[in-house]
Amino acid sequence: MAQKPSIPKGTRDFGPEEMNRRNYIFDQIRDVFRLFAFRPIETPALENLSTLLGKYGEEGDRLLFKILNSGDFLEKTTEHSDYKKMTTQISEKGLRYDLTVPFARYVVQHQNEITFPFKRYQMQPVWRADRPQKGRYREFYQCDADVIGSKSLLNEAELVKMIDEVFQRLNIRVIVKINNRKILAGIAEYIGAPDKIIDITVAIDKLDKIGLEKVNAELFEKGIEAASIERLQPVLQMQGSSEEKMNFLKNLLASSETGLKGIEEIQTLWNYIASYTLKAEVELDLTLARGLNYYTGAIFEVKALDAQIGSISGGGRYDDLTGIFGLPNMSGVGISFGADRIYDVMEELKLFPEASLAATRVLFVNFGDKETAYCLPIIENLRKQNMAVEMYPDSAKLQKQFSYANARQIPFVAIAGEREMNEGKIVLKNMQSGEEKLIAKDQIQENLH
Amino acid sequence: MAQKPSIPKGTRDFGPEEMNRRNYIFDQIRDVFRLFAFRPIETPALENLSTLLGKYGEEGDRLLFKILNSGDFLEKTTEHSDYKKMTTQISEKGLRYDLTVPFARYVVQHQNEITFPFKRYQMQPVWRADRPQKGRYREFYQCDADVIGSKSLLNEAELVKMIDEVFQRLNIRVIVKINNRKILAGIAEYIGAPDKIIDITVAIDKLDKIGLEKVNAELFEKGIEAASIERLQPVLQMQGSSEEKMNFLKNLLASSETGLKGIEEIQTLWNYIASYTLKAEVELDLTLARGLNYYTGAIFEVKALDAQIGSISGGGRYDDLTGIFGLPNMSGVGISFGADRIYDVMEELKLFPEASLAATRVLFVNFGDKETAYCLPIIENLRKQNMAVEMYPDSAKLQKQFSYANARQIPFVAIAGEREMNEGKIVLKNMQSGEEKLIAKDQIQENLH
């Protein structure tokens, strides 16, 4: 009996049109990575669970796809009632959850082969057993670029320029929001609540939406003392450009070593960025709370100006990316492009180029073996000129062959019958205008416009 | 305590050099697929086990990587002692084992969106829990191109030309061996042993190695009657070119409808192929036993002439690719390129191009912030000219920066100090010859040769 075929929830098939559009995005990102001298690596989809577990918090551990051991997995199993304990006995491998942990593992494992600083990019799918919902999938691509083994802020600047370059090419207007964890730490220190960085940042983020009064109430609820909240007020009411904010904070945080270090970092980054010609807006944004659990310096987030959607790229610096695998003091900074969201933005703003290089330019009609023998060398020659060309494989009814050309949106159809063959010619039909031209068989290329 | 990092056996990390070489192969294959009007699709790594099980024989079922269900998989489990029965209760999904079954599933699931004949290509990893050994991995890429929904032998011809084109580009001399299951069936029918196709083919294949006498002995052992073996002798002793063999078989199999159909197919294919300019050798080879369990017409196998390695590409026709998923009478024909073996051949024959477009062309030395500000616009401009360029991120000792350039095999180093900056110039050092040139900062590109 035939099964009704389907795919697991949260996964997707990509058809040709979708693939061409996705590849358009991937190709642009890859090309920018290449120009900035990042180098490709790939890691296996399967990692040992010992590599993955404990790296993404408790929820992450739960969301890992785990592979059942091969063969008789029950043979050595002692646990049969607690599924969590049993999992560790019947599963040793899991699917890649992101590209950062495998990269850290890669760097440690191959440290003797790598020339540092190491700039790598990686574009591969990752898997998460998340509850599927609109725009969230269980399999999706990440496109990451990281520099490891250099603390220079020039790396941050290059990443910002790369973001700018990618979105220029894709024709998406963006703002790059930049924060620095050290500034946030300085503020928390300054107001006397050094352990409340995240609460403070999240509260600042709500200022526009709920107003100053409610933000202050929320901070109080989070257990921050009234005196601390009082000291925070100048920060909450801070106005002006990124440069003005930096100057303001420099005075305010004069007593916090960490805070001043953060401001110095931001200023250095700003100076570097000023050397490039950027199309993207760049803004210091103290409300960026993204990845505060692991980033130690710069934090980036990119938003599309013309689409209502979350961040389409982001990243930051980790001071100790590889310590967990036994290689301490390796500072790394990186960014990640969210291909799915970028796709949605480009779809919404109609930014995909109409015709793609990938599409068939001419369909040759099939009238039978003799005509096929006449056409195949012509087809071979057009392909040599880098043109995607095909012949309808069966000598089906003409109507069927033209329907195929229409359905596939092939712009030209080439027809060669007895008479054209005798004269060394071909009829070329423009499928949009309906115009037909009788031309020499070696002059097709010039007429495909 | 730090873990010593490793990856699951049978899997691989690919570093930058390996990636550039692999991408070189993938890019050529993809480009040929595109020129022949094949269109890309991608399917999820995870498929429902109901899609995969029973499609690859008993061994295939065993070699599928199975995903443990999320959450408390024991909750609804009734079986706790037989691991095979338990597997079906605690695992619903598995990793893709090849690209053919997911493609068949895709065609059935999306049949209403597809314009037939459908030419698709797919280049994705597959996973098999095989015993790892030299050249055999648990994760590897397949590069498949198939046409579905057309019985025309022009498809077979186009695939042969594609094979020729791919290996011309990669500079690998190959022979394309072609067989047809219907001819083999005709022979088996003719000698009165219609159910012994595979035994006969395998025996013919051993002719060169073990000689006629032992082949006959082996056929007898397989239960083929003496009279049948007698009738097979003319086939075993057949000599000559592919065309001569076709003519010989045409006479011999005159009473077998299936056999004659097979010969007609091969002749039609040969006629089509004659219309192309092929560099590859093409040969009728009755010993090709590859995929005899599922192919119904043409069978292809490609061997490198200058390397001792198994087949580097192969394929064939299935008359009913999608029947198992409920869509009958969909004939398909396809080929698959084995990226890992092609890589090994190119490595052995030293066919990889020396310098790749992907590699950094110039490293800019970092002397500090002022010099960086001078260099960044120059770097930006070179990247606009499609050149991969980088600046050493830290103002480290000069020796360290030059070591980096050497280790990364970067051919030029650009140096700008106080004096060069004042004059709008740059020193360009050729790392191979040691030659240094003082040039205007906007004339770097012309000097990078």
PDB file of all heavy atoms in Angstrom, chain A residues 3 13 34 36 50 68 105 150 152 158 272 369 383 386 393-394, chain B residues 3 13 34 50 66 105 150 152 158 272 369 383 386 393-394:
ATOM      1  N   GLN A   3       2.270   4.833   0.801  1.00  0.00           N
ATOM      2  CA  GLN A   3       2.221   5.752   1.922  1.00  0.00           C
ATOM      3  C   GLN A   3       1.921   7.150   1.394  1.00  0.00           C
ATOM      4  O   GLN A   3       2.348   7.518   0.304  1.00  0.00           O
ATOM      5  CB  GLN A   3       3.590   5.835   2.593  1.00  0.00           C
ATOM      6  CG  GLN A   3       4.150   4.514   3.022  1.00  0.00           C
ATOM      7  CD  GLN A   3       5.645   4.641   3.246  1.00  0.00           C
ATOM      8  OE1 GLN A   3       6.445   4.353   2.358  1.00  0.00           O
ATOM      9  NE2 GLN A   3       6.024   5.083   4.423  1.00  0.00           N
ATOM     10  N   ASP A  13      11.023  21.406   2.472  1.00  0.00           N
ATOM     11  CA  ASP A  13      11.598  21.152   1.157  1.00  0.00           C
ATOM     12  C   ASP A  13      11.784  22.509   0.477  1.00  0.00           C
ATOM     13  O   ASP A  13      10.945  23.393   0.624  1.00  0.00           O
ATOM     14  CB  ASP A  13      10.617  20.346   0.292  1.00  0.00           C
ATOM     15  CG  ASP A  13      10.556  18.875   0.667  1.00  0.00           C
ATOM     16  OD1 ASP A  13      11.586  18.315   1.067  1.00  0.00           O
ATOM     17  OD2 ASP A  13       9.466  18.275   0.550  1.00  0.00           O
ATOM     18  N   ARG A  34      34.590  35.948   1.507  1.00  0.00           N
ATOM     19  CA  ARG A  34      35.819  35.675   0.759  1.00  0.00           C
ATOM     20  C   ARG A  34      36.643  36.955   0.585  1.00  0.00           C
ATOM     21  O   ARG A  34      37.855  36.952   0.820  1.00  0.00           O
ATOM     22  CB  ARG A  34      35.453  35.090  -0.607  1.00  0.00           C
ATOM     23  CG  ARG A  34      36.629  34.842  -1.533  1.00  0.00           C
ATOM     24  CD  ARG A  34      36.186  34.334  -2.899  1.00  0.00           C
ATOM     25  NE  ARG A  34      35.479  35.338  -3.697  1.00  0.00           N
ATOM     26  CZ  ARG A  34      36.065  36.328  -4.367  1.00  0.00           C
ATOM     27  NH1 ARG A  34      37.378  36.468  -4.340  1.00  0.00           N
ATOM     28  NH2 ARG A  34      35.347  37.188  -5.059  1.00  0.00           N
ATOM     29  N   PHE A  36      36.758  39.528   2.349  1.00  0.00           N
ATOM     30  CA  PHE A  36      37.319  39.973   3.617  1.00  0.00           C
ATOM     31  C   PHE A  36      38.281  38.938   4.192  1.00  0.00           C
ATOM     32  O   PHE A  36      38.673  38.996   5.347  1.00  0.00           O
ATOM     33  CB  PHE A  36      36.194  40.307   4.607  1.00  0.00           C
ATOM     34  CG  PHE A  36      35.555  41.644   4.333  1.00  0.00           C
ATOM     35  CD1 PHE A  36      34.741  41.833   3.217  1.00  0.00           C
ATOM     36  CD2 PHE A  36      35.796  42.734   5.161  1.00  0.00           C
ATOM     37  CE1 PHE A  36      34.166  43.072   2.948  1.00  0.00           C
ATOM     38  CE2 PHE A  36      35.227  43.975   4.901  1.00  0.00           C
ATOM     39  CZ  PHE A  36      34.401  44.143   3.789  1.00  0.00           C
ATOM     40  N   SER A  50      28.977  14.743  24.226  1.00  0.00           N
ATOM     41  CA  SER A  50      29.860  15.374  25.219  1.00  0.00           C
ATOM     42  C   SER A  50      30.339  16.740  24.748  1.00  0.00           C
ATOM     43  O   SER A  50      30.641  17.615  25.555  1.00  0.00           O
ATOM     44  CB  SER A  50      31.055  14.460  25.504  1.00  0.00           C
ATOM     45  OG  SER A  50      31.730  14.169  24.287  1.00  0.00           O
ATOM     46  N   LEU A  68      20.048   7.796  18.188  1.00  0.00           N
ATOM     47  CA  LEU A  68      20.014   6.502  18.871  1.00  0.00           C
ATOM     48  C   LEU A  68      21.256   5.693  18.487  1.00  0.00           C
ATOM     49  O   LEU A  68      21.609   5.625  17.307  1.00  0.00           O
ATOM     50  CB  LEU A  68      18.741   5.775  18.409  1.00  0.00           C
ATOM     51  CG  LEU A  68      18.241   4.576  19.195  1.00  0.00           C
ATOM     52  CD1 LEU A  68      18.000   4.923  20.654  1.00  0.00           C
ATOM     53  CD2 LEU A  68      16.935   4.089  18.556  1.00  0.00           C
ATOM     54  N   ARG A 105      35.212  23.789  19.139  1.00  0.00           N
ATOM     55  CA  ARG A 105      35.744  22.420  19.191  1.00  0.00           C
ATOM     56  C   ARG A 105      36.772  22.224  18.085  1.00  0.00           C
ATOM     57  O   ARG A 105      37.854  21.654  18.293  1.00  0.00           O
ATOM     58  CB  ARG A 105      34.563  21.438  19.044  1.00  0.00           C
ATOM     59  CG  ARG A 105      34.845  19.983  19.360  1.00  0.00           C
ATOM     60  CD  ARG A 105      35.218  19.155  18.152  1.00  0.00           C
ATOM     61  NE  ARG A 105      34.285  19.296  17.057  1.00  0.00           N
ATOM     62  CZ  ARG A 105      34.650  19.284  15.786  1.00  0.00           C
ATOM     63  NH1 ARG A 105      35.915  19.130  15.448  1.00  0.00           N
ATOM     64  NH2 ARG A 105      33.752  19.441  14.830  1.00  0.00           N
ATOM     65  N   SER A 150      42.616  37.080  18.126  1.00  0.00           N
ATOM     66  CA  SER A 150      43.010  38.480  18.043  1.00  0.00           C
ATOM     67  C   SER A 150      42.027  39.325  18.828  1.00  0.00           C
ATOM     68  O   SER A 150      40.816  39.170  18.683  1.00  0.00           O
ATOM     69  CB  SER A 150      43.039  38.959  16.586  1.00  0.00           C
ATOM     70  OG  SER A 150      43.037  40.375  16.544  1.00  0.00           O
ATOM     71  N   SER A 152      42.140  42.661  18.685  1.00  0.00           N
ATOM     72  CA  SER A 152      42.055  43.970  18.034  1.00  0.00           C
ATOM     73  C   SER A 152      40.619  44.318  17.659  1.00  0.00           C
ATOM     74  O   SER A 152      39.868  43.487  17.151  1.00  0.00           O
ATOM     75  CB  SER A 152      42.919  43.975  16.775  1.00  0.00           C
ATOM     76  OG  SER A 152      42.593  45.082  15.968  1.00  0.00           O
ATOM     77  N   GLU A 158      35.867  45.429  10.849  1.00  0.00           N
ATOM     78  CA  GLU A 158      35.745  44.670   9.595  1.00  0.00           C
ATOM     79  C   GLU A 158      34.399  43.952   9.532  1.00  0.00           C
ATOM     80  O   GLU A 158      33.779  43.877   8.476  1.00  0.00           O
ATOM     81  CB  GLU A 158      36.899  43.661   9.473  1.00  0.00           C
ATOM     82  CG  GLU A 158      38.256  44.300   9.145  1.00  0.00           C
ATOM     83  CD  GLU A 158      38.515  44.382   7.635  1.00  0.00           C
ATOM     84  OE1 GLU A 158      38.956  43.381   7.041  1.00  0.00           O
ATOM     85  OE2 GLU A 158      38.280  45.483   7.077  1.00  0.00           O
ATOM     86  N   TYR A 272      37.685  53.445  13.681  1.00  0.00           N
ATOM     87  CA  TYR A 272      37.970  52.537  12.558  1.00  0.00           C
ATOM     88  C   TYR A 272      36.866  52.631  11.503  1.00  0.00           C
ATOM     89  O   TYR A 272      37.131  52.748  10.310  1.00  0.00           O
ATOM     90  CB  TYR A 272      38.082  51.087  13.038  1.00  0.00           C
ATOM     91  CG  TYR A 272      39.388  50.722  13.690  1.00  0.00           C
ATOM     92  CD1 TYR A 272      39.416  49.988  14.876  1.00  0.00           C
ATOM     93  CD2 TYR A 272      40.607  51.078  13.114  1.00  0.00           C
ATOM     94  CE1 TYR A 272      40.613  49.625  15.478  1.00  0.00           C
ATOM     95  CE2 TYR A 272      41.808  50.720  13.703  1.00  0.00           C
ATOM     96  CZ  TYR A 272      41.802  49.989  14.889  1.00  0.00           C
ATOM     97  OH  TYR A 272      42.990  49.637  15.474  1.00  0.00           O
ATOM     98  N   ASP A 369      14.257  12.225 -34.008  1.00  0.00           N
ATOM     99  CA  ASP A 369      15.684  11.954 -33.932  1.00  0.00           C
ATOM    100  C   ASP A 369      16.527  12.769 -34.912  1.00  0.00           C
ATOM    101  O   ASP A 369      17.607  13.236 -34.569  1.00  0.00           O
ATOM    102  CB  ASP A 369      15.938  10.457 -34.170  1.00  0.00           C
ATOM    103  CG  ASP A 369      15.479   9.633 -32.966  1.00  0.00           C
ATOM    104  OD1 ASP A 369      15.142  10.248 -31.935  1.00  0.00           O
ATOM    105  OD2 ASP A 369      15.470   8.397 -33.058  1.00  0.00           O
ATOM    106  N   ARG A 383      25.870  26.150 -24.727  1.00  0.00           N
ATOM    107  CA  ARG A 383      26.311  25.868 -23.355  1.00  0.00           C
ATOM    108  C   ARG A 383      27.765  26.278 -23.174  1.00  0.00           C
ATOM    109  O   ARG A 383      28.150  26.741 -22.093  1.00  0.00           O
ATOM    110  CB  ARG A 383      26.129  24.379 -23.040  1.00  0.00           C
ATOM    111  CG  ARG A 383      24.664  24.005 -22.810  1.00  0.00           C
ATOM    112  CD  ARG A 383      24.497  22.506 -22.638  1.00  0.00           C
ATOM    113  NE  ARG A 383      23.100  22.144 -22.405  1.00  0.00           N
ATOM    114  CZ  ARG A 383      22.588  20.949 -22.692  1.00  0.00           C
ATOM    115  NH1 ARG A 383      23.346  20.001 -23.237  1.00  0.00           N
ATOM    116  NH2 ARG A 383      21.320  20.686 -22.446  1.00  0.00           N
ATOM    117  N   ASN A 386      28.213  29.544 -21.888  1.00  0.00           N
ATOM    118  CA  ASN A 386      27.712  29.705 -20.521  1.00  0.00           C
ATOM    119  C   ASN A 386      26.209  29.954 -20.445  1.00  0.00           C
ATOM    120  O   ASN A 386      25.733  30.659 -19.566  1.00  0.00           O
ATOM    121  CB  ASN A 386      28.475  30.831 -19.813  1.00  0.00           C
ATOM    122  CG  ASN A 386      28.332  30.733 -18.314  1.00  0.00           C
ATOM    123  OD1 ASN A 386      28.184  29.641 -17.757  1.00  0.00           O
ATOM    124  ND2 ASN A 386      28.343  31.882 -17.644  1.00  0.00           N
ATOM    125  N   PRO A 393      12.732  16.587 -24.006  1.00  0.00           N
ATOM    126  CA  PRO A 393      13.283  15.252 -24.245  1.00  0.00           C
ATOM    127  C   PRO A 393      12.450  14.372 -25.170  1.00  0.00           C
ATOM    128  O   PRO A 393      13.008  13.529 -25.866  1.00  0.00           O
ATOM    129  CB  PRO A 393      13.391  14.637 -22.846  1.00  0.00           C
ATOM    130  CG  PRO A 393      12.518  15.450 -21.969  1.00  0.00           C
ATOM    131  CD  PRO A 393      12.406  16.815 -22.578  1.00  0.00           C
ATOM    132  N   ASP A 394      11.139  14.543 -25.197  1.00  0.00           N
ATOM    133  CA  ASP A 394      10.293  13.681 -26.019  1.00  0.00           C
ATOM    134  C   ASP A 394       9.771  14.462 -27.221  1.00  0.00           C
ATOM    135  O   ASP A 394       9.542  15.664 -27.136  1.00  0.00           O
ATOM    136  CB  ASP A 394       9.108  13.190 -25.181  1.00  0.00           C
ATOM    137  CG  ASP A 394       9.556  12.486 -23.919  1.00  0.00           C
ATOM    138  OD1 ASP A 394       9.767  13.189 -22.891  1.00  0.00           O
ATOM    139  OD2 ASP A 394       9.746  11.270 -23.957  1.00  0.00           O
TER     140      ASP A 394
ATOM    141  N   GLN B   3      37.360  19.033  28.410  1.00  0.00           N
ATOM    142  CA  GLN B   3      37.217  17.792  27.664  1.00  0.00           C
ATOM    143  C   GLN B   3      38.234  17.808  26.529  1.00  0.00           C
ATOM    144  O   GLN B   3      38.529  18.839  25.961  1.00  0.00           O
ATOM    145  CB  GLN B   3      35.843  17.715  27.009  1.00  0.00           C
ATOM    146  CG  GLN B   3      34.692  17.912  27.946  1.00  0.00           C
ATOM    147  CD  GLN B   3      33.457  18.288  27.150  1.00  0.00           C
ATOM    148  OE1 GLN B   3      33.139  19.464  27.008  1.00  0.00           O
ATOM    149  NE2 GLN B   3      32.768  17.292  26.640  1.00  0.00           N
ATOM    150  N   ASP B  13      36.105  16.819   9.757  1.00  0.00           N
ATOM    151  CA  ASP B  13      36.168  18.276   9.651  1.00  0.00           C
ATOM    152  C   ASP B  13      36.866  18.605   8.346  1.00  0.00           C
ATOM    153  O   ASP B  13      37.816  17.914   7.965  1.00  0.00           O
ATOM    154  CB  ASP B  13      37.035  18.853  10.788  1.00  0.00           C
ATOM    155  CG  ASP B  13      36.323  18.874  12.124  1.00  0.00           C
ATOM    156  OD1 ASP B  13      35.098  19.092  12.141  1.00  0.00           O
ATOM    157  OD2 ASP B  13      37.006  18.694  13.155  1.00  0.00           O
ATOM    158  N   ARG B  34      23.609  23.251 -14.101  1.00  0.00           N
ATOM    159  CA  ARG B  34      22.874  24.457 -14.476  1.00  0.00           C
ATOM    160  C   ARG B  34      22.801  24.631 -15.999  1.00  0.00           C
ATOM    161  O   ARG B  34      21.732  24.888 -16.552  1.00  0.00           O
ATOM    162  CB  ARG B  34      23.565  25.676 -13.844  1.00  0.00           C
ATOM    163  CG  ARG B  34      22.950  27.011 -14.197  1.00  0.00           C
ATOM    164  CD  ARG B  34      23.753  28.171 -13.615  1.00  0.00           C
ATOM    165  NE  ARG B  34      25.067  28.347 -14.230  1.00  0.00           N
ATOM    166  CZ  ARG B  34      25.299  28.928 -15.405  1.00  0.00           C
ATOM    167  NH1 ARG B  34      24.294  29.390 -16.124  1.00  0.00           N
ATOM    168  NH2 ARG B  34      26.521  29.050 -15.880  1.00  0.00           N
ATOM    169  N   SER B  50       9.115   6.356   8.313  1.00  0.00           N
ATOM    170  CA  SER B  50       8.195   5.661   7.402  1.00  0.00           C
ATOM    171  C   SER B  50       8.575   5.920   5.941  1.00  0.00           C
ATOM    172  O   SER B  50       8.311   5.099   5.070  1.00  0.00           O
ATOM    173  CB  SER B  50       6.756   6.115   7.659  1.00  0.00           C
ATOM    174  OG  SER B  50       6.665   7.529   7.558  1.00  0.00           O
ATOM    175  N   LYS B  66      19.014   6.878  13.433  1.00  0.00           N
ATOM    176  CA  LYS B  66      17.663   7.147  13.920  1.00  0.00           C
ATOM    177  C   LYS B  66      17.700   8.185  15.041  1.00  0.00           C
ATOM    178  O   LYS B  66      18.580   8.149  15.899  1.00  0.00           O
ATOM    179  CB  LYS B  66      17.023   5.842  14.403  1.00  0.00           C
ATOM    180  CG  LYS B  66      16.863   4.847  13.249  1.00  0.00           C
ATOM    181  CD  LYS B  66      16.494   3.451  13.688  1.00  0.00           C
ATOM    182  CE  LYS B  66      16.621   2.479  12.534  1.00  0.00           C
ATOM    183  NZ  LYS B  66      18.009   1.983  12.319  1.00  0.00           N
ATOM    184  N   ARG B 105      10.100  10.992  -2.822  1.00  0.00           N
ATOM    185  CA  ARG B 105       9.120  11.501  -1.863  1.00  0.00           C
ATOM    186  C   ARG B 105       8.722  12.942  -2.222  1.00  0.00           C
ATOM    187  O   ARG B 105       7.552  13.315  -2.215  1.00  0.00           O
ATOM    188  CB  ARG B 105       9.723  11.422  -0.449  1.00  0.00           C
ATOM    189  CG  ARG B 105       8.781  11.618   0.712  1.00  0.00           C
ATOM    190  CD  ARG B 105       8.732  13.053   1.214  1.00  0.00           C
ATOM    191  NE  ARG B 105      10.047  13.610   1.463  1.00  0.00           N
ATOM    192  CZ  ARG B 105      10.343  14.878   1.233  1.00  0.00           C
ATOM    193  NH1 ARG B 105       9.445  15.722   0.750  1.00  0.00           N
ATOM    194  NH2 ARG B 105      11.556  15.334   1.476  1.00  0.00           N
ATOM    195  N   SER B 150       9.951  11.406 -18.090  1.00  0.00           N
ATOM    196  CA  SER B 150      10.223  11.283 -19.519  1.00  0.00           C
ATOM    197  C   SER B 150      10.968   9.987 -19.774  1.00  0.00           C
ATOM    198  O   SER B 150      11.942   9.693 -19.090  1.00  0.00           O
ATOM    199  CB  SER B 150      11.069  12.461 -20.018  1.00  0.00           C
ATOM    200  OG  SER B 150      11.653  12.145 -21.272  1.00  0.00           O
ATOM    201  N   SER B 152      12.262   9.326 -22.764  1.00  0.00           N
ATOM    202  CA  SER B 152      13.151   9.534 -23.912  1.00  0.00           C
ATOM    203  C   SER B 152      14.598   9.209 -23.578  1.00  0.00           C
ATOM    204  O   SER B 152      15.116   9.584 -22.523  1.00  0.00           O
ATOM    205  CB  SER B 152      13.052  10.985 -24.373  1.00  0.00           C
ATOM    206  OG  SER B 152      14.111  11.279 -25.252  1.00  0.00           O
ATOM    207  N   GLU B 158      21.982  13.089 -22.648  1.00  0.00           N
ATOM    208  CA  GLU B 158      22.362  14.340 -21.989  1.00  0.00           C
ATOM    209  C   GLU B 158      23.176  14.056 -20.720  1.00  0.00           C
ATOM    210  O   GLU B 158      24.137  14.762 -20.411  1.00  0.00           O
ATOM    211  CB  GLU B 158      21.106  15.157 -21.649  1.00  0.00           C
ATOM    212  CG  GLU B 158      20.442  15.821 -22.848  1.00  0.00           C
ATOM    213  CD  GLU B 158      20.964  17.233 -23.108  1.00  0.00           C
ATOM    214  OE1 GLU B 158      20.496  18.175 -22.449  1.00  0.00           O
ATOM    215  OE2 GLU B 158      21.846  17.376 -23.983  1.00  0.00           O
ATOM    216  N   TYR B 272      22.377   9.280 -30.452  1.00  0.00           N
ATOM    217  CA  TYR B 272      22.317  10.607 -29.835  1.00  0.00           C
ATOM    218  C   TYR B 272      23.716  11.075 -29.446  1.00  0.00           C
ATOM    219  O   TYR B 272      24.113  12.199 -29.718  1.00  0.00           O
ATOM    220  CB  TYR B 272      21.436  10.594 -28.580  1.00  0.00           C
ATOM    221  CG  TYR B 272      19.946  10.623 -28.844  1.00  0.00           C
ATOM    222  CD1 TYR B 272      19.090   9.775 -28.159  1.00  0.00           C
ATOM    223  CD2 TYR B 272      19.392  11.521 -29.745  1.00  0.00           C
ATOM    224  CE1 TYR B 272      17.718   9.806 -28.369  1.00  0.00           C
ATOM    225  CE2 TYR B 272      18.024  11.561 -29.970  1.00  0.00           C
ATOM    226  CZ  TYR B 272      17.189  10.699 -29.281  1.00  0.00           C
ATOM    227  OH  TYR B 272      15.840  10.734 -29.487  1.00  0.00           O
ATOM    228  N   ASP B 369      46.915  52.612  14.699  1.00  0.00           N
ATOM    229  CA  ASP B 369      45.637  53.187  14.279  1.00  0.00           C
ATOM    230  C   ASP B 369      45.754  54.162  13.122  1.00  0.00           C
ATOM    231  O   ASP B 369      44.917  54.173  12.218  1.00  0.00           O
ATOM    232  CB  ASP B 369      44.956  53.871  15.470  1.00  0.00           C
ATOM    233  CG  ASP B 369      44.440  52.842  16.471  1.00  0.00           C
ATOM    234  OD1 ASP B 369      44.492  51.638  16.141  1.00  0.00           O
ATOM    235  OD2 ASP B 369      44.002  53.235  17.556  1.00  0.00           O
ATOM    236  N   ARG B 383      38.870  45.465  -2.597  1.00  0.00           N
ATOM    237  CA  ARG B 383      37.762  44.502  -2.490  1.00  0.00           C
ATOM    238  C   ARG B 383      36.688  44.811  -3.526  1.00  0.00           C
ATOM    239  O   ARG B 383      36.058  43.893  -4.060  1.00  0.00           O
ATOM    240  CB  ARG B 383      37.179  44.536  -1.079  1.00  0.00           C
ATOM    241  CG  ARG B 383      38.081  43.856  -0.063  1.00  0.00           C
ATOM    242  CD  ARG B 383      37.546  44.036   1.351  1.00  0.00           C
ATOM    243  NE  ARG B 383      38.400  43.381   2.329  1.00  0.00           N
ATOM    244  CZ  ARG B 383      38.462  43.717   3.619  1.00  0.00           C
ATOM    245  NH1 ARG B 383      37.717  44.711   4.085  1.00  0.00           N
ATOM    246  NH2 ARG B 383      39.254  43.064   4.446  1.00  0.00           N
ATOM    247  N   ASN B 386      37.036  43.043  -6.549  1.00  0.00           N
ATOM    248  CA  ASN B 386      36.852  41.593  -6.398  1.00  0.00           C
ATOM    249  C   ASN B 386      38.106  40.865  -5.922  1.00  0.00           C
ATOM    250  O   ASN B 386      38.341  39.712  -6.278  1.00  0.00           O
ATOM    251  CB  ASN B 386      36.360  40.985  -7.722  1.00  0.00           C
ATOM    252  CG  ASN B 386      35.712  39.623  -7.498  1.00  0.00           C
ATOM    253  OD1 ASN B 386      35.131  39.386  -6.441  1.00  0.00           O
ATOM    254  ND2 ASN B 386      35.842  38.737  -8.465  1.00  0.00           N
ATOM    255  N   PRO B 393      45.183  42.076  11.994  1.00  0.00           N
ATOM    256  CA  PRO B 393      44.328  42.848  12.902  1.00  0.00           C
ATOM    257  C   PRO B 393      45.069  43.563  14.029  1.00  0.00           C
ATOM    258  O   PRO B 393      44.624  44.612  14.485  1.00  0.00           O
ATOM    259  CB  PRO B 393      43.355  41.806  13.455  1.00  0.00           C
ATOM    260  CG  PRO B 393      43.977  40.477  13.184  1.00  0.00           C
ATOM    261  CD  PRO B 393      44.857  40.630  12.000  1.00  0.00           C
ATOM    262  N   ASP B 394      46.189  43.013  14.481  1.00  0.00           N
ATOM    263  CA  ASP B 394      46.898  43.629  15.599  1.00  0.00           C
ATOM    264  C   ASP B 394      48.177  44.294  15.105  1.00  0.00           C
ATOM    265  O   ASP B 394      48.805  43.825  14.166  1.00  0.00           O
ATOM    266  CB  ASP B 394      47.255  42.558  16.638  1.00  0.00           C
ATOM    267  CG  ASP B 394      46.030  41.786  17.096  1.00  0.00           C
ATOM    268  OD1 ASP B 394      45.677  40.795  16.419  1.00  0.00           O
ATOM    269  OD2 ASP B 394      45.427  42.197  18.092  1.00  0.00           O
TER     270      ASP B 394
END
